[in-house]
Amino acid sequence: MVNLKPVLFVIGLVLSKIALFMYIPTLTAFFTGTSGFLDFGMSVIITHIAAFACLSVGKTDNFRLNARDMFVITTLVWAIASAFAALPFVFINHISFTDAYFETMSGITTTGSTVLSGLDKMAPAILLWRSILQWLGGIGFIVMGVAILPFLNVGGMRLFQTESSDWSAKSSPRTKSVAVSIMKIYLILSAACFFSYLLAGMSPFDAVNHAMTTLSTGGYSTSDSSMNHFSHSAQWVGTVFMFAGGLPFLLLMQALRRRDGKMIVMDAQVRGFTYLVLATSFMVSVWLVLTRDYSVADAVRVATFNIVSVVTTTGFGLDDFTAWGPFASVIFAFMLIVGGCSGSTAGGAKIFRFQIALALLKKQIHQLVHPSGVFIQRYNGRTVNEDIVRSVVAFAITYILTILVIAMILAATGLDGITSLTGSMTAVANVGPGMGHVIGPTGNFSSLPDTAKWALSIGMLMGRLEILTVLVLVFPAFWRD
């Protein structure tokens, strides 16, 4: 059985931190004299009470977590935290809990899909809260990808298992040290992004919001026009820091500690990620110059920004790439599901799984040519054993099935095929915008039925937690001793 007290205690800790971060928009509303002070105040009180209850009931002298507990905690923390973090949207924007939960789940999973409009005139407190949710979700996912998912062997993540993935009492100091170091890098990059946006002409308020949603690869903006509202130099700043958010933060930490930049350049994930961005940006740039009368400079800027935005699952809008013709649409449809590097803030299927699949294909071809040969599959200098290959294959199958099931649910609510399929893809991949006139880069998700919004919310959660982490909870065998 699951150790209920430690699970409740961890949930209480997370809710207490959510309540503390709610003080930031509460004070913003108070000192700026704008709406939201009382609404955030009520949200803070309710969240603090729930946190105190969980901490009181869950307090125990025997705090031990096994793998089953970690599966339950990982799913419940994100689901329950989203419920309480949704309260300000209900109180301030006066929207339904369904819409508020969708907006919050989209924020905390750094998906970036939204049901809100009129952002340019919205209360600063709620805009700041949306950005904070994405910033917290970004660092939360980095730590989860470095320490928890490799420990649980989800989707082949054991390939990245290190000492920081060991949850025994002996290694807890090491795990804490790695988490602190990653947080420092996250803060430094966030600050660098903020000052870069300031230099690019953004106001301090816009800069701090976009710094949080850029590095977290979340994509929430303070304007309905998204990045179209800002200067070309701001768009290049966004491109650079979205790309940084898609890199493996554990590798960045190790490279800084050893003062060895070659570690980053020589990493297979980083090279694959970089080559993919450069190749697709080049192809789309050429396409825009030849077919859409863009200048070379504008084509490179717009194509690179949109490619990086989609592949890192940020979802910032800059022009409507769905109107660029079938060639560009096919490229972006593929990029919707790829994602960034493992251990980054980006969602998606992750680059390393595509690289392992290609290496497996190469191995099978060699095996056909030389039936008696022995070929060892390696990745980044590590042997890829059968256990990892099985995990990657299982993830790929469940990833595709999850997208198809959610797409069928959306279609059953009356949505058209393009909206249903790309809506499901963008939710599970945590990208943000879909394709088509309803949920494309210039639209939003407000017109979708409540059933569709709940299905997409579940899809966002499953996609962010690598599908199997959530799916395992529905099997009876998981709950048996």
Side-chain angles (χ1 to χ4, degrees), residues 267-351:
D267 183 78
Q269 266 201 116
V270 173
R271 282 188 282 118
F273 180 53
T274 304
Y275 293 154
L276 179 66
V277 167
L278 292 176
T280 51
S281 296
F282 174 77
M283 288 189 289
V284 174
S285 297
V286 172
W287 175 259
L288 292 179
V289 171
L290 295 178
T291 67
R292 292 297 183 270
D293 296 324
Y294 277 72
S295 68
V296 174
D298 284 344
V300 172
R301 172 180 54 83
V302 174
T304 306
F305 181 94
N306 279 287
I307 286 292
V308 174
S309 179
V310 172
V311 76
T312 60
T313 70
T314 307
F316 276 137
L318 182 61
D319 290 3
D320 184 1
F321 58 75
T322 62
W324 292 349
F327 177 76
S329 294
V330 169
I331 290 178
F332 279 103
F334 169 70
M335 300 299 269
L336 278 176
I337 62 172
V338 175
C341 300
S342 177
S344 70
T345 61
K350 302 295 185 301
I351 292 292

Coordinates of all heavy atoms in Angstrom, one line a residue, residues 267-351:
D267 N 27.8 16.7 -26.3 CA 26.6 15.9 -25.8 C 25.7 15.6 -27.0 O 25.4 16.4 -27.8 CB 25.8 16.7 -24.8 CG 24.7 15.9 -24.2 OD1 24.9 15.0 -23.4 OD2 23.5 16.1 -24.7
A268 N 25.3 14.3 -27.1 CA 24.5 13.9 -28.3 C 23.2 14.5 -28.3 O 22.7 14.9 -29.4 CB 24.4 12.3 -28.2
Q269 N 22.5 14.7 -27.2 CA 21.2 15.4 -27.2 C 21.4 16.8 -27.7 O 20.6 17.3 -28.5 CB 20.7 15.4 -25.7 CG 19.8 14.3 -25.4 CD 18.9 14.7 -24.2 OE1 17.7 14.8 -24.4 NE2 19.4 14.8 -23.1
V270 N 22.3 17.6 -27.1 CA 22.5 19.0 -27.5 C 22.8 19.1 -29.0 O 22.2 20.0 -29.7 CB 23.6 19.6 -26.7 CG1 23.9 21.0 -27.2 CG2 23.2 19.6 -25.2
R271 N 23.7 18.2 -29.5 CA 24.0 18.3 -30.9 C 22.8 18.0 -31.8 O 22.5 18.7 -32.8 CB 25.1 17.3 -31.3 CG 26.5 17.9 -30.9 CD 27.7 17.0 -31.3 NE 27.8 15.8 -30.5 CZ 27.7 14.6 -30.9 NH1 27.4 14.3 -32.2 NH2 27.9 13.6 -30.1
G272 N 22.0 16.9 -31.4 CA 20.8 16.6 -32.2 C 19.8 17.7 -32.1 O 19.2 18.0 -33.2
F273 N 19.6 18.3 -31.0 CA 18.7 19.4 -30.8 C 19.1 20.6 -31.6 O 18.2 21.2 -32.3 CB 18.7 19.8 -29.3 CG 17.7 20.9 -28.9 CD1 16.4 20.9 -29.3 CD2 18.2 22.0 -28.2 CE1 15.6 21.9 -28.9 CE2 17.4 23.0 -27.9 CZ 16.1 23.0 -28.2
T274 N 20.4 20.9 -31.6 CA 20.9 22.1 -32.4 C 20.7 21.8 -33.9 O 20.3 22.7 -34.6 CB 22.3 22.3 -32.0 OG1 22.4 22.5 -30.6 CG2 22.9 23.6 -32.7
Y275 N 21.1 20.7 -34.4 CA 21.0 20.3 -35.8 C 19.6 20.4 -36.3 O 19.3 20.9 -37.4 CB 21.6 19.0 -36.1 CG 23.1 18.8 -35.8 CD1 23.7 17.6 -35.6 CD2 23.9 19.9 -35.9 CE1 25.1 17.5 -35.3 CE2 25.3 19.8 -35.7 CZ 25.9 18.6 -35.4 OH 27.2 18.5 -35.2
L276 N 18.7 19.9 -35.5 CA 17.3 19.9 -35.8 C 16.8 21.4 -36.0 O 16.1 21.7 -37.0 CB 16.4 19.2 -34.8 CG 14.9 19.1 -35.0 CD1 14.6 18.3 -36.3 CD2 14.2 18.6 -33.8
V277 N 17.1 22.2 -35.0 CA 16.6 23.6 -35.1 C 17.2 24.3 -36.3 O 16.5 25.0 -37.0 CB 17.0 24.3 -33.8 CG1 16.9 25.9 -33.9 CG2 16.2 23.8 -32.6
L278 N 18.5 24.1 -36.5 CA 19.2 24.8 -37.6 C 18.6 24.3 -39.0 O 18.4 25.2 -39.9 CB 20.7 24.6 -37.6 CG 21.5 25.3 -36.4 CD1 22.9 24.8 -36.5 CD2 21.3 26.8 -36.5
A279 N 18.5 23.0 -39.1 CA 18.0 22.5 -40.4 C 16.6 22.9 -40.7 O 16.3 23.4 -41.8 CB 18.1 21.0 -40.4
T280 N 15.7 22.8 -39.8 CA 14.3 23.2 -40.0 C 14.1 24.7 -40.1 O 13.3 25.2 -41.0 CB 13.4 22.7 -38.9 OG1 13.9 23.1 -37.6 CG2 13.3 21.1 -38.9
S281 N 14.9 25.5 -39.4 CA 14.8 26.9 -39.5 C 15.3 27.4 -40.9 O 14.7 28.3 -41.5 CB 15.7 27.6 -38.5 OG 15.2 27.3 -37.2
F282 N 16.3 26.7 -41.4 CA 16.8 27.0 -42.7 C 15.8 26.7 -43.8 O 15.5 27.5 -44.7 CB 18.1 26.2 -43.0 CG 18.6 26.4 -44.4 CD1 19.3 27.5 -44.8 CD2 18.5 25.4 -45.3 CE1 19.8 27.7 -46.1 CE2 18.9 25.5 -46.7 CZ 19.6 26.7 -47.0
M283 N 15.1 25.5 -43.7 CA 14.2 25.1 -44.7 C 13.0 26.1 -44.7 O 12.5 26.5 -45.8 CB 13.7 23.7 -44.4 CG 14.8 22.6 -44.8 SD 14.1 20.9 -44.7 CE 13.9 20.7 -42.9
V284 N 12.5 26.4 -43.5 CA 11.3 27.3 -43.4 C 11.7 28.7 -43.9 O 10.9 29.4 -44.6 CB 10.7 27.3 -42.0 CG1 9.6 28.4 -41.9 CG2 10.2 26.0 -41.6
S285 N 12.9 29.2 -43.6 CA 13.3 30.5 -44.0 C 13.4 30.6 -45.6 O 12.9 31.5 -46.2 CB 14.7 30.8 -43.5 OG 14.8 30.8 -42.1
V286 N 13.9 29.5 -46.2 CA 14.0 29.5 -47.7 C 12.6 29.5 -48.2 O 12.3 30.2 -49.2 CB 14.8 28.3 -48.1 CG1 14.7 28.1 -49.7 CG2 16.2 28.4 -47.7
W287 N 11.7 28.7 -47.6 CA 10.3 28.6 -48.1 C 9.6 30.0 -48.0 O 8.9 30.4 -48.9 CB 9.6 27.6 -47.2 CG 8.1 27.5 -47.5 CD1 7.1 28.0 -46.7 CD2 7.5 26.8 -48.5 NE1 5.9 27.7 -47.3 CE2 6.1 26.9 -48.4 CE3 8.0 26.0 -49.6 CZ2 5.2 26.4 -49.3 CZ3 7.0 25.4 -50.5 CH2 5.6 25.6 -50.3
L288 N 9.8 30.7 -46.9 CA 9.2 32.0 -46.8 C 9.7 33.0 -47.8 O 9.0 33.9 -48.3 CB 9.4 32.6 -45.4 CG 8.7 31.9 -44.2 CD1 9.1 32.5 -42.9 CD2 7.2 31.9 -44.4
V289 N 11.0 33.0 -48.1 CA 11.6 33.9 -49.1 C 11.1 33.6 -50.5 O 10.7 34.5 -51.2 CB 13.1 33.8 -49.1 CG1 13.7 34.6 -50.2 CG2 13.7 34.3 -47.8
L290 N 10.9 32.3 -50.8 CA 10.5 31.9 -52.1 C 9.0 32.0 -52.4 O 8.6 32.3 -53.5 CB 11.0 30.5 -52.4 CG 12.5 30.2 -52.5 CD1 12.8 28.7 -52.7 CD2 13.2 31.1 -53.5
T291 N 8.2 31.8 -51.3 CA 6.8 31.7 -51.5 C 6.0 32.8 -50.9 O 4.8 33.0 -51.2 CB 6.2 30.3 -51.1 OG1 6.4 30.2 -49.6 CG2 7.0 29.2 -51.7
R292 N 6.5 33.5 -49.9 CA 5.7 34.5 -49.1 C 6.3 35.9 -49.2 O 5.9 36.7 -48.4 CB 5.6 34.0 -47.7 CG 4.8 32.7 -47.5 CD 3.3 33.0 -47.9 NE 2.5 31.8 -47.7 CZ 2.3 30.9 -48.6 NH1 2.9 30.9 -49.8 NH2 1.4 29.9 -48.3
D293 N 7.3 36.1 -50.0 CA 7.8 37.5 -50.2 C 8.4 38.1 -49.0 O 8.4 39.3 -48.8 CB 6.8 38.4 -50.8 CG 6.3 38.0 -52.2 OD1 7.2 37.5 -53.0 OD2 5.2 38.2 -52.6
Y294 N 9.0 37.3 -48.1 CA 9.7 37.8 -46.9 C 11.1 38.2 -47.3 O 11.7 37.6 -48.2 CB 9.8 36.7 -45.8 CG 8.6 36.6 -44.9 CD1 7.4 36.0 -45.4 CD2 8.7 36.9 -43.6 CE1 6.3 35.8 -44.5 CE2 7.6 36.8 -42.7 CZ 6.4 36.2 -43.2 OH 5.3 36.1 -42.4
S295 N 11.6 39.2 -46.7 CA 13.0 39.5 -46.9 C 13.8 38.4 -46.2 O 13.3 37.7 -45.3 CB 13.4 40.9 -46.3 OG 13.3 40.9 -44.9
V296 N 15.1 38.3 -46.6 CA 15.9 37.3 -45.9 C 16.0 37.4 -44.4 O 15.9 36.5 -43.7 CB 17.3 37.2 -46.6 CG1 18.2 36.3 -45.8 CG2 17.3 36.9 -48.0
A297 N 16.2 38.7 -44.0 CA 16.4 39.0 -42.5 C 15.1 38.6 -41.8 O 15.1 38.0 -40.7 CB 16.7 40.4 -42.3
D298 N 13.9 39.0 -42.3 CA 12.6 38.7 -41.7 C 12.3 37.3 -41.7 O 11.8 36.7 -40.7 CB 11.5 39.5 -42.4 CG 11.5 41.0 -42.0 OD1 12.2 41.4 -41.0 OD2 10.9 41.8 -42.7
A299 N 12.7 36.6 -42.8 CA 12.4 35.2 -42.9 C 13.2 34.4 -41.9 O 12.7 33.5 -41.2 CB 12.7 34.7 -44.3
V300 N 14.5 34.7 -41.7 CA 15.3 34.0 -40.8 C 14.8 34.3 -39.3 O 14.7 33.4 -38.5 CB 16.8 34.5 -40.9 CG1 17.6 33.9 -39.7 CG2 17.4 34.0 -42.2
R301 N 14.5 35.5 -39.0 CA 14.0 35.9 -37.7 C 12.7 35.2 -37.4 O 12.6 34.5 -36.3 CB 13.8 37.4 -37.6 CG 13.1 37.9 -36.3 CD 13.0 39.4 -36.3 NE 12.3 39.9 -37.5 CZ 11.0 39.9 -37.6 NH1 10.2 39.5 -36.6 NH2 10.4 40.4 -38.7
V302 N 11.7 35.3 -38.2 CA 10.4 34.7 -38.0 C 10.4 33.2 -38.0 O 9.8 32.5 -37.1 CB 9.4 35.2 -39.0 CG1 8.0 34.5 -38.8 CG2 9.2 36.7 -38.9
A303 N 11.1 32.6 -38.9 CA 11.2 31.1 -39.0 C 11.9 30.6 -37.8 O 11.4 29.6 -37.2 CB 11.9 30.7 -40.3
T304 N 13.1 31.1 -37.5 CA 13.9 30.6 -36.3 C 13.1 30.8 -35.0 O 13.0 29.8 -34.2 CB 15.2 31.3 -36.2 OG1 15.9 31.3 -37.5 CG2 16.1 30.7 -35.1
F305 N 12.4 31.9 -34.8 CA 11.6 32.1 -33.6 C 10.6 31.1 -33.5 O 10.4 30.4 -32.5 CB 11.0 33.5 -33.6 CG 10.2 33.8 -32.4 CD1 10.8 34.4 -31.3 CD2 8.9 33.4 -32.3 CE1 10.1 34.7 -30.1 CE2 8.2 33.6 -31.1 CZ 8.7 34.3 -30.0
N306 N 9.8 30.9 -34.6 CA 8.7 29.9 -34.5 C 9.1 28.5 -34.4 O 8.5 27.7 -33.6 CB 7.8 30.1 -35.7 CG 6.8 31.2 -35.6 OD1 5.9 31.2 -34.9 ND2 7.1 32.3 -36.3
I307 N 10.2 28.1 -35.0 CA 10.7 26.7 -34.9 C 11.2 26.5 -33.5 O 10.8 25.5 -32.9 CB 11.9 26.5 -35.9 CG1 11.4 26.4 -37.3 CG2 12.7 25.3 -35.5 CD1 10.6 25.1 -37.6
V308 N 12.0 27.4 -32.9 CA 12.4 27.2 -31.5 C 11.3 27.3 -30.6 O 11.2 26.5 -29.6 CB 13.5 28.4 -31.2 CG1 13.8 28.3 -29.7 CG2 14.7 28.2 -32.0
S309 N 10.3 28.1 -30.8 CA 9.1 28.2 -29.9 C 8.3 26.9 -29.9 O 7.9 26.4 -28.8 CB 8.2 29.3 -30.4 OG 7.1 29.4 -29.6
V310 N 8.2 26.3 -31.1 CA 7.4 25.0 -31.1 C 8.2 23.8 -30.6 O 7.8 23.0 -29.9 CB 6.9 24.8 -32.6 CG1 6.3 23.4 -32.7 CG2 5.9 25.8 -33.0
V311 N 9.5 23.7 -31.0 CA 10.3 22.5 -30.7 C 10.6 22.5 -29.2 O 10.7 21.5 -28.6 CB 11.6 22.4 -31.5 CG1 12.7 23.4 -31.0 CG2 12.1 21.0 -31.5
T312 N 10.7 23.7 -28.6 CA 11.0 23.8 -27.1 C 9.6 23.8 -26.4 O 9.6 23.8 -25.1 CB 11.7 25.0 -26.7 OG1 11.0 26.2 -27.1 CG2 13.1 25.1 -27.4
T313 N 8.5 23.7 -27.1 CA 7.2 23.6 -26.6 C 6.8 24.9 -25.8 O 6.1 24.9 -24.8 CB 6.9 22.4 -25.7 OG1 7.7 22.5 -24.4 CG2 7.3 21.1 -26.4
T314 N 7.4 26.0 -26.2 CA 7.1 27.3 -25.5 C 5.8 27.8 -26.0 O 4.9 28.1 -25.2 CB 8.2 28.3 -25.8 OG1 9.5 27.8 -25.5 CG2 8.0 29.6 -25.0
G315 N 5.6 27.9 -27.3 CA 4.3 28.3 -27.8 C 4.1 29.8 -28.0 O 2.9 30.2 -28.2
F316 N 5.1 30.7 -27.8 CA 4.9 32.1 -28.1 C 4.5 32.2 -29.6 O 4.9 31.5 -30.5 CB 6.2 32.8 -28.0 CG 6.5 33.3 -26.6 CD1 7.8 33.1 -26.0 CD2 5.5 33.8 -25.8 CE1 8.1 33.5 -24.7 CE2 5.8 34.3 -24.5 CZ 7.1 34.1 -24.0
G317 N 3.6 33.2 -29.8 CA 3.1 33.4 -31.2 C 3.9 34.5 -31.9 O 4.2 35.6 -31.3
L318 N 4.3 34.3 -33.1 CA 4.9 35.3 -34.0 C 4.5 35.0 -35.4 O 5.1 34.1 -36.0 CB 6.4 35.3 -33.8 CG 7.2 36.4 -34.6 CD1 6.7 37.8 -34.2 CD2 8.7 36.3 -34.5
D319 N 3.5 35.8 -35.9 CA 2.9 35.5 -37.2 C 2.1 34.1 -37.1 O 2.3 33.4 -36.1 CB 3.9 35.4 -38.3 CG 4.5 36.8 -38.6 OD1 4.1 37.8 -37.9 OD2 5.3 36.9 -39.6
D320 N 1.3 33.8 -38.1 CA 0.5 32.6 -38.1 C 1.2 31.6 -39.0 O 1.0 31.7 -40.2 CB -0.9 32.9 -38.5 CG -1.8 31.7 -38.5 OD1 -1.3 30.6 -38.1 OD2 -3.0 31.8 -38.8
F321 N 2.0 30.7 -38.4 CA 2.7 29.7 -39.3 C 1.8 28.8 -40.0 O 2.2 28.1 -41.0 CB 3.8 29.0 -38.5 CG 3.3 28.2 -37.3 CD1 2.6 27.0 -37.4 CD2 3.5 28.7 -36.0 CE1 2.2 26.3 -36.3 CE2 3.1 28.0 -34.9 CZ 2.4 26.8 -35.1
T322 N 0.5 28.7 -39.6 CA -0.4 27.7 -40.3 C -0.8 28.3 -41.6 O -1.5 27.6 -42.4 CB -1.6 27.5 -39.4 OG1 -2.3 28.7 -39.1 CG2 -1.2 26.9 -38.0
A323 N -0.5 29.6 -41.8 CA -0.9 30.3 -43.1 C 0.2 30.3 -44.1 O 0.2 31.0 -45.1 CB -1.4 31.7 -42.8
W324 N 1.3 29.6 -43.8 CA 2.5 29.6 -44.7 C 2.5 28.5 -45.7 O 3.5 28.3 -46.4 CB 3.8 29.5 -43.8 CG 4.0 30.7 -42.9 CD1 3.4 31.9 -43.0 CD2 5.0 30.8 -41.9 NE1 3.9 32.7 -42.0 CE2 4.9 32.1 -41.3 CE3 6.0 29.9 -41.3 CZ2 5.7 32.5 -40.2 CZ3 6.7 30.3 -40.3 CH2 6.6 31.6 -39.7
G325 N 1.4 27.8 -45.8 CA 1.4 26.8 -46.9 C 1.7 25.4 -46.3 O 2.1 25.2 -45.2
P326 N 1.4 24.3 -47.1 CA 1.5 22.9 -46.7 C 2.9 22.5 -46.3 O 3.0 21.7 -45.3 CB 1.0 22.1 -47.9 CG 1.1 23.1 -49.1 CD 0.9 24.4 -48.5
F327 N 3.9 23.0 -47.0 CA 5.3 22.5 -46.6 C 5.6 22.9 -45.2 O 6.1 22.1 -44.4 CB 6.3 23.1 -47.6 CG 7.7 22.8 -47.3 CD1 8.2 21.5 -47.6 CD2 8.5 23.7 -46.7 CE1 9.5 21.2 -47.3 CE2 9.9 23.4 -46.5 CZ 10.4 22.2 -46.8
A328 N 5.4 24.2 -44.9 CA 5.7 24.7 -43.5 C 4.8 24.0 -42.5 O 5.2 23.7 -41.4 CB 5.5 26.2 -43.4
S329 N 3.5 23.7 -42.8 CA 2.6 23.1 -41.9 C 3.0 21.7 -41.5 O 2.9 21.3 -40.4 CB 1.2 23.1 -42.5 OG 0.7 24.4 -42.7
V330 N 3.5 21.0 -42.5 CA 4.0 19.6 -42.2 C 5.2 19.6 -41.3 O 5.3 18.8 -40.3 CB 4.4 18.9 -43.6 CG1 5.1 17.6 -43.3 CG2 3.2 18.6 -44.4
I331 N 6.1 20.6 -41.5 CA 7.3 20.7 -40.6 C 6.9 21.0 -39.2 O 7.3 20.4 -38.2 CB 8.3 21.8 -41.2 CG1 8.9 21.3 -42.4 CG2 9.3 22.1 -40.1 CD1 9.9 22.3 -43.1
F332 N 6.0 22.0 -39.1 CA 5.5 22.4 -37.7 C 4.7 21.3 -37.1 O 4.8 21.1 -35.8 CB 4.7 23.7 -37.8 CG 5.6 24.9 -37.9 CD1 5.8 25.6 -39.1 CD2 6.3 25.4 -36.7 CE1 6.6 26.7 -39.1 CE2 7.1 26.5 -36.8 CZ 7.3 27.2 -38.0
A333 N 3.9 20.5 -37.8 CA 3.2 19.4 -37.2 C 4.1 18.4 -36.6 O 3.9 17.8 -35.6 CB 2.3 18.8 -38.3
F334 N 5.3 18.1 -37.3 CA 6.3 17.2 -36.8 C 6.9 17.8 -35.6 O 7.1 17.1 -34.5 CB 7.3 16.9 -37.9 CG 8.5 16.2 -37.3 CD1 8.4 14.9 -36.9 CD2 9.8 16.8 -37.2 CE1 9.6 14.2 -36.4 CE2 10.9 16.2 -36.7 CZ 10.8 14.8 -36.3
M335 N 7.3 19.1 -35.6 CA 7.9 19.7 -34.5 C 7.1 19.8 -33.3 O 7.6 19.9 -32.1 CB 8.4 21.1 -34.9 CG 9.4 21.2 -36.1 SD 10.9 20.3 -35.8 CE 11.9 21.6 -35.1
L336 N 5.8 19.7 -33.4 CA 4.8 19.8 -32.3 C 5.1 18.7 -31.3 O 4.9 18.8 -30.1 CB 3.4 19.7 -32.8 CG 2.7 20.9 -33.3 CD1 1.3 20.6 -33.8 CD2 2.6 22.0 -32.2
I337 N 5.6 17.5 -31.8 CA 5.7 16.4 -30.9 C 7.2 16.1 -30.5 O 7.4 15.2 -29.6 CB 5.1 15.1 -31.5 CG1 5.9 14.7 -32.8 CG2 3.6 15.2 -31.8 CD1 5.4 13.3 -33.3
V338 N 8.1 16.7 -31.1 CA 9.5 16.4 -30.9 C 10.0 16.8 -29.5 O 10.5 15.9 -28.7 CB 10.5 17.0 -31.9 CG1 11.9 16.7 -31.6 CG2 10.1 16.5 -33.3
G339 N 9.9 18.0 -29.1 CA 10.4 18.5 -27.8 C 11.9 18.7 -27.7 O 12.6 18.6 -28.7
G340 N 12.3 19.2 -26.5 CA 13.7 19.5 -26.3 C 14.5 18.4 -25.7 O 14.2 17.2 -25.9
C341 N 15.5 18.7 -24.9 CA 16.4 17.7 -24.3 C 15.8 17.2 -23.0 O 15.0 18.0 -22.3 CB 17.7 18.3 -24.1 SG 18.6 18.9 -25.5
S342 N 16.1 16.0 -22.6 CA 15.7 15.5 -21.3 C 16.4 16.3 -20.2 O 17.6 16.7 -20.4 CB 16.1 14.1 -21.2 OG 15.8 13.6 -19.9
G343 N 15.7 16.7 -19.1 CA 16.3 17.5 -18.1 C 16.3 19.0 -18.4 O 16.9 19.7 -17.7
S344 N 15.5 19.4 -19.4 CA 15.2 20.8 -19.7 C 13.8 21.2 -19.2 O 13.1 20.4 -18.6 CB 15.4 21.0 -21.2 OG 14.3 20.4 -21.9
T345 N 13.5 22.4 -19.5 CA 12.1 22.8 -19.2 C 11.1 22.5 -20.3 O 9.9 22.6 -20.1 CB 12.0 24.3 -18.9 OG1 12.4 25.0 -20.1 CG2 12.9 24.8 -17.8
A346 N 11.6 22.0 -21.4 CA 10.8 21.7 -22.6 C 10.0 20.4 -22.4 O 10.5 19.5 -21.7 CB 11.7 21.6 -23.8
G347 N 8.9 20.4 -23.1 CA 8.1 19.1 -23.0 C 8.3 18.3 -24.3 O 9.4 18.3 -24.8
G348 N 7.3 17.6 -24.8 CA 7.4 16.8 -26.0 C 8.0 15.4 -25.7 O 8.2 15.1 -24.6
A349 N 8.2 14.7 -26.8 CA 8.7 13.3 -26.6 C 10.2 13.3 -26.3 O 10.7 12.2 -25.8 CB 8.5 12.6 -28.0
K350 N 10.9 14.3 -26.5 CA 12.4 14.5 -26.2 C 13.2 13.9 -27.3 O 13.0 12.9 -27.9 CB 12.7 13.8 -24.9 CG 12.0 14.3 -23.7 CD 12.3 15.8 -23.4 CE 11.6 16.3 -22.1 NZ 10.1 16.2 -22.1
I351 N 14.3 14.7 -27.6 CA 15.2 14.4 -28.7 C 15.8 13.0 -28.5 O 16.0 12.3 -29.5 CB 16.3 15.5 -28.7 CG1 15.7 16.8 -29.2 CG2 17.4 15.0 -29.7 CD1 15.3 16.8 -30.6

